Amino acid sequence: MVVADSVMLAAEPESEAEPESRTGRTRRLSPHIGVVPTASMVTGAALATVWFWVPLVILIVGISAIPSGIGFVLAAVVFTYLMRGVDRVERVRSEAVFGLAIPVPPRRLSHYTGIQGWLHQLWLDISSSRFWKGCAHHYLRMIYDMAATGLAFLLTAIAVLGPAAAIAVDGSAAAAGLKFLPPPLAWLLAVIALAAAVAVLVFAPALDVRIDRWLLSPSSTAVLQHQVNALADARQGAVSSAQTERHRIERDLHDSVQPRLVSLAMTIGLAQTKLDTDLPAARNLIDEAHNDAKQALAELRNVVRGIAPTILSDRGLDAALSSVVQRAETSGVPTTLDLYLPRRLPDEVEAVAYFVVAEALTNVAKHAHANQAVVTVRLDETAGQLHVSVFDDGRGGAAYPVDGIDNPDATGLRGLEERVRAAGGTFAVSSPATGPTIVTAVVPCAS
């Protein structure tokens, strides 16, 4: 059935698939009546006679291999990936054959990476109602298609063999004493059986449509639970982001600005004691204090820049990113900016994009030893998403966490992930040991 569904993807004529609101023409046929739905059902039923047993055998082998452990895991992995692929094919088939745009149920994704993330995602998939509804849909459709096609085949066989048997028996009835339907009645029943077979083939796909809508559509409970989980995740990301930002500010003030101000106060105090006794020394101390004050201001600007850059609110994301790229180039890393922003975005979205680029380029300058970097920021107005990507050709090793274990040197990246999560977006880092490193973020934004 899976193979048959994929074969029928492009076969539906536009006159039967396009509604009036999209083509300007009145639809003459119901979407479940036509050659394509019938051919899909018949071909699927034929292939299902073999395919029906394949997932079942894998599932049974997996259950029987529970004591061995490894065999159970392998069977579970094969069965899970097989049925996930079947679910995708079924949705494509439903869209191609019946023109149904059934929304995809939400899928919970693991926040872990590496082998731990893979195992966790496997468990999330196999324990979800979406997975088992897809399995139930696939088998219910196979059973129904085989039953409907088998009934049509039986009726067709009766229509073909009935009259032939009646004629044969009628010719030898006197010699052998056989009795059967009279040929006229056999012909009448053959016509009825053939008409019934055609009716089954034409109208049976109507129930296929109902099965698709029933089991492929997400339930309201699942959608609501997904929204609740997304809001909880965004809230946790906002809390973590605020804590990370507070710790960063405390650390920067304690490690840079505070010692500088303490030194400034001590220098000014020494200068005061020298004013009456050693004026040249007092002047030198005042010059030193002046330099300390300028350095403290510069360090304070760096701290404030991590909170709310003025250029971002005044001139927008394009000007702010241009400034970040210029600073990266002065640090010795040639950087290219590819920007597509046809309009201003919400303040939160612009701030997230700015911090992703700024932190990523800071890491490039400090750790990557890269020859070049490329910043790509593009607004997808159709999907309502802002795509941010920072690429460098330097050494890698910036991925986090590794096999579910946090990298203590990747606190900046964790902070970025929390910022993006707080905005309802997704964040990813690809950084093999030999490079290159790609930092990507996708942030939803209001249209």
Side-chain angles (χ1 to χ4, degrees):
M1 180 176 181
V2 177
V3 179
D5 292 337
S6 61
V7 171
M8 306 305 299
L9 296 185
E12 184 176 3
E14 292 183 357
S15 61
E16 295 181 14
E18 295 292 335
E20 181 180 2
S21 60
R22 294 168 61 184
T23 63
R25 297 176 295 175
T26 302
R27 187 196 310 223
R28 296 183 179 181
L29 295 178
S30 176
H32 60 263
I33 297 177
V35 176
V36 173
T38 299
S40 176
M41 183 183 71
V42 173
T43 309
L47 294 179
T49 56
V50 176
W51 173 255
F52 183 89
W53 303 103
V54 175
L56 278 183
V57 169
I58 296 175
L59 182 61
I60 294 171
V61 169
I63 295 174
S64 62
I66 289 179
S68 66
I70 297 297
F72 172 72
V73 171
L74 293 176
V77 169
V78 174
F79 179 76
T80 302
Y81 277 91
L82 181 65
M83 297 312 296
R84 279 180 53 190
V86 166
D87 182 71
R88 292 192 184 96
V89 172
E90 290 285 9
R91 292 182 184 280
V92 174
R93 177 217 32 95
S94 181
E95 172 68 22
V97 176
F98 301 117
L100 299 179
I102 299 176
V104 179
R107 179 186 178 211
R108 290 186 61 191
L109 300 177
S110 174
H111 293 304
Y112 300 104
T113 58
I115 186 65
Q116 182 180 2
W118 177 74
L119 290 174
H120 186 229
Q121 187 62 58
L122 186 67
W123 166 251
L124 291 177
D125 287 339
I126 204 170
S127 62
S128 65
S129 60
R130 165 184 172 173
F131 177 81
W132 293 107
K133 282 180 66 177
C135 296
H137 166 268
H138 185 56
Y139 270 92
L140 184 58
R141 267 191 55 90
M142 280 197 293
I143 294 171
Y144 174 72
D145 287 353
M146 286 191 293
T149 304
L151 178 59
F153 179 79
L154 178 61
L155 291 172
T156 303
I158 292 174
V160 172
L161 299 177
I167 294 172
V169 171
D170 184 66
S172 61
L178 298 175
K179 294 183 179 180
F180 197 68
L181 295 175
L185 181 57
W187 280 107
L188 176 61
L189 293 178
V191 172
I192 295 174
L194 185 60
V198 172
V200 169
L201 293 176
V202 171
F203 294 104
L207 187 56
D208 278 344
V209 176
R210 294 182 178 274
I211 294 174
D212 288 354
R213 286 174 176 164
W214 175 36
L215 290 175
L216 291 182
S217 298
S219 64
S220 57
T221 304
V223 174
L224 181 60
Q225 184 61 44
H226 178 73
Q227 293 173 347
V228 171
N229 293 338
L231 290 175
D233 187 64
R235 178 182 177 277
Q236 181 61 37
V239 173
S240 301
S241 176
Q243 292 177 344
T244 302
E245 190 66 16
R246 178 171 61 83
H247 293 157
R248 184 193 66 81
I249 295 172
E250 291 176 351
R251 184 179 64 251
D252 290 347
L253 290 176
H254 181 273
D255 295 343
S256 61
V257 180
Q258 178 179 331
R260 187 72 63 183
L261 293 177
V262 171
S263 175
L264 174 62
M266 295 177 60
T267 304
I268 293 175
L270 289 174
Q272 286 178 333
T273 61
K274 298 287 186 180
L275 282 176
D276 296 331
T277 59
D278 191 351
L279 188 60
R283 288 176 179 174
N284 291 333
L285 290 172
I286 291 174
D287 289 340
E288 183 180 345
H290 182 243
N291 292 330
D292 286 343
K294 291 191 293 184
Q295 292 180 6
L297 285 174
E299 292 172 354
L300 191 58
R301 288 193 193 98
N302 290 333
V303 175
V304 173
R305 184 182 294 120
I307 302 174
T310 305
I311 189 174
L312 182 62
S313 57
D314 293 344
R315 298 173 56 189
L317 183 59
D318 51 353
L321 293 183
S322 298
S323 175
V324 173
V325 168
Q326 288 178 358
R327 289 203 306 269
E329 290 182 337
T330 58
S331 66
V333 181
T335 305
T336 303
L337 177 61
D338 180 8
L339 196 69
Y340 174 72
L341 292 174
R343 58 180 175 84
R344 285 294 299 267
L345 302 175
D347 294 342
E348 180 186 18
V349 176
E350 290 190 339
V352 170
Y354 173 85
F355 287 122
V356 168
V357 174
E359 179 66 25
L361 289 181
T362 299
N363 290 340
V364 171
K366 288 182 178 180
H367 310 296
H369 301 289
N371 295 319
Q372 64 172 343
V374 178
V375 177
T376 305
V377 180
R378 307 191 70 81
L379 175 62
D380 184 353
E381 295 191 274
T382 303
Q385 294 177 331
L386 181 67
H387 296 259
V388 181
S389 172
V390 181
F391 164 88
D392 73 81
D393 62 354
R395 67 183 185 186
Y400 76 101
V402 179
D403 292 336
I405 302 175
D406 282 340
N407 180 359
D409 298 328
T411 55
L413 294 177
R414 287 199 300 273
L416 289 183
E417 183 193 29
E418 290 160 359
R419 281 185 182 274
V420 175
R421 282 174 52 201
T426 57
F427 180 80
V429 178
S430 173
S431 184
T434 58
T437 297
I438 304 175
V439 177
T440 58
V442 179
V443 185
C445 52
S447 58

